[in-house]
């Protein structure tokens, strides 16, 4: 997101940061807002009708 990009001075630094995150957490990419939107869409759908009292972490395994 733009907030993450604002933490680095240029695109080269952003590319290095992105690569470091991928290497640290083992996911093939960094997360994007769409990842959270997909969970929200699921929870708002009939497919989640039996889901109650759960906490979902959308962080690509960073907190694992």
């Amino acid at each position: 997101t733009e907030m993450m990009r604002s933490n680095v001075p240029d695109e080269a630094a952003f590319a290095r940061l992105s690569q470091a995150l991928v290497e640290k957490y083992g996911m093939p990419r960094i997360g994007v807002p769409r990842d959270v939107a997909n969970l929200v869409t699921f929870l708002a759908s009939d497919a989640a009708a039996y889901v109650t009292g759960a906490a979902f972490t959308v962080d690509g395994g960073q907190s694992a």
Side-chain angles (χ1 to χ4, degrees), residues 43-58:
L43 291 172
S45 75
D46 289 340
Y50 211 66
V51 175
T52 60
F56 295 90
T57 304
V58 184

Side-chain angles (χ1 to χ4, degrees), residues 5-64:
R5 286 181 186 276
S6 70
N7 291 318
V8 293
D10 54 41
E11 285 300 312
F14 180 73
R16 288 191 303 274
L17 173 62
S18 298
Q19 185 59 36
L21 291 173
V22 167
E23 290 172 6
K24 183 174 182 177
Y25 298 113
M27 295 296 285
R29 62 179 179 80
I30 59 173
V32 295
R34 187 77 187 146
D35 295 319
V36 176
N38 287 338
L39 175 61
V40 171
T41 301
F42 165 70
L43 291 172
S45 75
D46 289 340
Y50 211 66
V51 175
T52 60
F56 295 90
T57 304
V58 184
D59 71 354
Q62 292 180 15
S63 61

